[in-house]
Amino acid sequence: MDSTRVTEQPTSFERSQTGADPADPRGALLHTPTPRSPGGLPHEAHADGEPSGAASTAVGPEHSQPGAEHSAEPEAHRPRPVPEAIPVQPGGQPGEMAPSPDGQDRRTGHVPQRNRPTPMRRDGDRLRFVGAATRRIARGIDLDEIVMGLCRATVPTFSDAILVYLRDPLPVGDERPTGPLVLRLRRTDRIPPERDTEGGGFLPAAQPEPTELDMVGSELCEVRPGSALAEVLRGVRPVFTDAPAARAALPELLGEGNDIAVPTGQRAILAPLRGRRRVIGAALFLRRLDRLAFETDDLLVAAQLATHSALGIDKAVLYGREAYIADELQRTMLPETLPQPTGVRLASRYLPAAETARVGGDWYDAIPLPGSRVALVVGDVMGHSMTSAAIMGQLRTTAQTLAGLDLPPQEVLHHLDEQAQRLGTDRMATCLYAVYDPVSHRITIANAGHPPPVLLHLGGRAEVLRVPAGAPIGVGGVDFEAVELDAPAGGTLLLYTDGLVESRLRDVWTGIEQLREKLAATAQLTGPDHPPPLEALCDEVLDMLGPGDRDDDIALLAARFDGIAPNDVAYWFLEPEDAAPGRARRLARRALARWGMEDLTDSVELLVSEVVTNAVRYASRPVTLRLLRTDVLRCEVGDDVPQLPRLRQARATDEGGRGLYLVNRLARRWGATRLSTGKVVWFELNRG
């Protein structure tokens, strides 16, 4: 009979009784008279008193119940325990026998101490305790909850103290652990010092003297191959520590000298914790000397507790690994940091639907574009599974690729729709794609079934932008429309997913109106001339969520439009002729003089001349030259040739090929971006 069946099929033939809760503060002990064989000796015990469950080599399955093979009735007809409280006995507490008139225990003849656990005297009590304890252990989800459930279920009901050791590190699933077997003390639990209740107080009158159980335990131990501890763990079955093998294993487990503090007699049980594949730890149950010793049947209780705890720990480790993988997948598919483009400030938030389901299909992104522009993207794939997260990652990658081609927003959504159809017929998503130009102070937006953005003006007015909704991505065969709107300096654009505004308690349009009111109220706190801080604004927006509003993931992207003033921009067209580089140098020199940046004149003239010369060599249409003055000086040269220049090392005999080498050495940053009409080569210099 395996360990699972032991729990479900009790050996008692008594009428079903109510259960014992291991968390009961009365902490009733499990004590049952040992059944005796016809020869007068207890079942599963030798003549010398050593329990066969500890050292016997009889053939049988792991954790089989001693005496189960002598059962006279088939297992199918055994009664099951009812998970209820133990009925109150006449004149006493639940689970207690009525005392004799002189107050003595009828079985032992001892007078029971006040506030001390009293023993149970039926096999049914022991089985009901195992059922209640395993239910408490099974309630745990993560590792700490399961280990704590084991400790709280056994102390003080089954033992006065418990030490739980686990492998370090714990193997996951079918992993084969490498290196030696190392056990680390994961948790201990002991009966707290008794309270002084004579005067009605709760604090002890004096600190109690330390007991032998307070000194037990060593944090780390390495199990040597072939040692006594290794043999006990290999045996899998719980054993009393007064057995020779277990007594020899204690110094290795607890540390030299700590084994002396273990109570003598059958007051300690060492139970290996075996998971699905291998032993993953050990539990040591201890009782004080002033308490009744363990009995042979208590080995079965320890076996059940150890088996259920080990299997629960195995599942908790697997669950933890899966949650970690899902969390890492979600994080890697979202931007680790937001860019810092010129003329706009960004802030973002992401909240999963629940801590136990951290994966979802919501995403946001900010992608720098040529000409100091930036693409703002927010999307939502249907579902909250790993599949949704994977599809989200593919759509986000596709959007980044399309943004690099500098396609219009409506064309980006069209290609995303085609990509979603290639991924599957049921791959649906909503998306909003916007491009902000800080020079023209305009924003172009296209929508694919997504909630509309909200624009918070500098004066405190919040406006829901009228953007054609469009069909969701994945429908196929639909056109997307883009609109161009003003993006005033000081304004804040808020892009979000429907989890922020829609829940079981409100529809999406009610939520959008509440969001608009929340933004307007927040803006009033800072006055009409100062927009609210961007990070604080995101936190205030999330505070509008109520207890029942977390039905979906939430992705939030906020963009503060600073823009670039017209007097900080210089723009020219240059004909593709030999005189173009000289003219570009003169124009750049005049702009720098107007801005008071003459210290950069030499560097700018040299770099502008090299980049314009390369553009004029291949261009057939006018070349554009633009200088932007922000926190840095940025120069952009555009032409109609799509091929991007590559940095290479010129040979000594080459007449050219050194222009980009100079740009790379002198500029703070540089790059080249392909456009639908050609390309743009840009570089930046630090302002003096």
Side-chain angles (χ1 to χ4, degrees):
M1 182 185 301
D2 57 33
S3 60
T4 304
R5 296 179 62 187
V6 171
T7 302
E8 297 184 352
Q9 302 291 344
T11 57
S12 173
F13 299 98
E14 297 178 349
R15 179 173 55 86
S16 176
Q17 301 290 339
T18 54
D21 188 355
D24 193 336
R26 293 185 301 273
L29 298 181
L30 307 181
H31 185 76
T32 305
T34 305
R36 296 187 175 272
S37 62
L41 294 176
H43 284 304
E44 296 299 307
H46 299 293
D48 57 0
E50 179 179 348
S52 62
S56 175
T57 58
V59 178
E62 287 184 1
H63 305 313
S64 61
Q65 292 193 16
E69 63 275 9
H70 304 296
S71 176
E73 295 186 18
E75 292 180 1
H77 301 289
R78 294 181 182 177
R80 296 178 181 269
V82 180
E84 298 176 356
I86 299 178
V88 178
Q89 302 297 330
Q93 297 295 329
E96 295 182 358
M97 293 184 63
S100 61
D102 57 359
Q104 294 182 348
D105 189 287
R106 291 181 175 180
R107 189 174 70 88
T108 63
H110 298 293
V111 178
Q113 300 179 11
R114 294 186 57 187
N115 303 324
R116 293 292 294 171
T118 55
M120 296 181 184
R121 298 171 176 84
R122 296 187 299 272
D123 288 340
D125 294 342
R126 179 176 281 105
L127 294 173
R128 282 188 292 275
F129 163 75
V130 171
T134 52
R135 285 194 300 273
R136 180 162 190 167
I137 295 170
R139 283 199 297 266
I141 296 179
D142 59 23
L143 180 61
D144 291 332
E145 289 179 352
I146 292 173
V147 175
M148 181 180 291
L150 171 63
C151 295
R152 297 294 172 83
T154 55
V155 178
T157 308
F158 182 68
S159 63
D160 292 322
I162 182 175
L163 287 79
V164 181
Y165 289 83
L166 295 179
R167 271 184 181 263
D168 185 29
L170 277 168
V172 180
D174 296 332
E175 287 183 357
R176 298 185 63 86
T178 59
L181 171 58
V182 177
L183 298 181
R184 182 179 293 275
L185 182 60
R186 183 76 184 192
R187 189 177 183 87
T188 63
D189 199 4
R190 296 176 175 82
I191 294 180
E194 295 188 7
R195 305 289 184 179
D196 177 22
T197 57
E198 295 295 334
F202 294 96
L203 296 177
Q207 292 296 330
E209 294 294 331
T211 65
E212 68 279 0
L213 300 184
D214 296 328
M215 299 180 291
V216 175
S218 177
E219 183 178 357
L220 198 67
C221 77
E222 180 177 340
V223 182
R224 298 182 300 273
S227 63
L229 180 57
E231 294 299 323
V232 172
L233 295 178
R234 186 180 295 111
V236 176
R237 298 180 180 180
V239 296
F240 292 119
T241 57
D242 59 350
R247 177 57 64 177
L250 285 180
E252 187 177 355
L253 178 66
L254 305 178
E256 295 294 338
N258 282 333
D259 60 312
I260 303 176
V262 176
T264 58
Q266 293 185 351
R267 287 183 170 82
I269 296 177
L270 179 58
L273 302 177
R274 179 176 177 82
R276 295 173 56 250
R277 300 287 182 183
R278 58 189 63 84
V279 172
I280 61 173
L284 184 63
F285 304 92
L286 303 167
R287 284 185 180 176
R288 293 194 178 104
L289 294 175
D290 59 348
R291 185 169 175 176
L292 293 174
F294 288 111
E295 296 183 352
T296 303
D297 287 346
D298 291 327
L299 293 174
L300 299 176
V301 176
Q304 288 293 294
L305 297 176
T307 299
H308 282 269
S309 300
L311 294 177
I313 290 171
D314 256 359
K315 295 177 181 178
V317 173
L318 282 171
Y319 169 78
R321 173 63 64 85
E322 292 180 357
Y324 170 79
I325 293 174
D327 188 50
E328 286 299 307
L329 175 64
Q330 184 75 39
R331 291 181 184 276
T332 54
M333 290 185 178
L334 293 174
E336 184 175 353
T337 58
L338 291 174
Q340 298 178 353
T342 302
V344 61
R345 285 174 286 170
L346 303 172
S348 62
R349 295 290 186 274
Y350 175 79
L351 294 179
E355 287 297 322
T356 55
R358 298 186 63 88
V359 293
D362 293 18
W363 92 89
Y364 62 89
D365 212 343
I367 309 167
L369 298 177
S372 299
R373 296 171 301 153
V374 59
L376 307 174
V377 191
V378 65
D380 183 5
V381 178
M382 288 177 21
H384 307 93
S385 62
M386 299 283 284
T387 302
S388 301
I391 295 173
M392 177 267 287
Q394 296 182 68
L395 292 180
R396 177 174 177 248
T397 302
T398 303
Q400 289 181 328
T401 304
L402 296 171
L405 298 177
D406 197 31
L407 298 179
Q410 64 272 22
E411 289 297 323
V412 172
L413 295 184
H414 175 72
H415 288 293
L416 284 177
D417 180 60
E418 292 180 340
Q419 175 67 12
Q421 294 179 65
R422 285 190 291 266
L423 295 177
T425 57
D426 57 343
R427 308 309 187 193
M428 304 287 291
T430 63
C431 182
L432 191 144
Y433 188 94
V435 176
Y436 170 64
D437 189 343
V439 176
S440 63
H441 296 269
R442 303 282 288 178
I443 186 168
T444 306
I445 306 175
N447 192 3
H450 204 78
V454 179
L455 178 62
L456 178 63
H457 293 266
L458 183 59
R461 181 174 63 92
E463 174 189 6
V464 180
L465 299 182
R466 296 186 177 182
V467 181
I473 290 173
V475 173
V478 296
D479 292 330
F480 299 98
E481 182 180 353
V483 295
E484 187 175 350
L485 305 172
D486 288 330
T492 304
L493 185 69
L494 206 69
L495 309 180
Y496 53 90
T497 56
D498 58 356
L500 180 65
V501 295
E502 186 180 22
S503 68
R504 295 189 302 269
L505 306 179
R506 61 184 178 186
D507 61 82
V508 62
W509 289 108
T510 301
I512 292 175
E513 180 62 24
Q514 293 178 359
L515 173 61
R516 190 191 64 81
E517 294 175 355
K518 182 68 173 181
L519 290 174
T522 303
Q524 296 299 326
L525 300 177
T526 57
D529 299 329
H530 301 282
L534 205 56
E535 297 291 340
L537 181 64
C538 292
D539 294 335
E540 288 292 330
V541 168
L542 294 181
D543 285 343
M544 66 176 281
L545 296 172
D549 293 341
R550 291 294 305 280
D551 299 332
D552 198 358
D553 301 352
I554 297 175
L556 177 64
L557 179 62
R560 173 71 44 78
F561 300 141
D562 294 332
I564 300 177
N567 58 353
D568 290 331
V569 180
Y571 190 84
W572 305 278
F573 286 95
L574 304 174
E575 292 297 329
E577 56 189 14
D578 295 340
R583 183 167 181 256
R585 288 193 298 268
R586 291 191 300 270
L587 294 174
R589 184 167 55 250
R590 294 172 186 172
L592 294 177
R594 186 172 65 251
W595 291 336
M597 303 172 64
E598 291 86 353
D599 54 331
L600 296 179
T601 301
D602 293 338
S603 299
V604 171
E605 285 188 3
L606 176 61
L607 300 184
V608 165
S609 178
E610 293 293 341
V611 177
V612 171
T613 299
N614 187 72
V616 169
R617 180 178 300 175
Y618 304 102
S620 58
R621 296 182 180 179
V623 175
T624 61
L625 171 63
R626 184 165 71 171
L627 296 180
L628 302 175
R629 182 183 63 166
T630 58
D631 55 339
V632 297
L633 179 67
R634 182 182 177 99
C635 176
E636 300 173 350
V637 177
D639 58 60
D640 60 346
V641 180
Q643 286 78 18
L644 299 180
R646 302 298 180 188
L647 180 64
R648 65 184 181 87
Q649 187 70 37
R651 295 188 299 267
T653 57
D654 292 341
E655 296 183 359
R658 296 175 178 84
L660 288 182
Y661 179 77
L662 293 174
V663 174
N664 184 63
R665 293 298 300 268
L666 298 178
R668 173 179 175 265
R669 291 194 311 156
W670 77 278
T673 306
R674 182 178 286 110
L675 305 178
S676 57
T677 58
K679 69 173 179 295
V680 168
V681 180
W682 57 269
F683 63 85
E684 294 178 351
L685 293 173
N686 291 321
R687 296 178 57 176

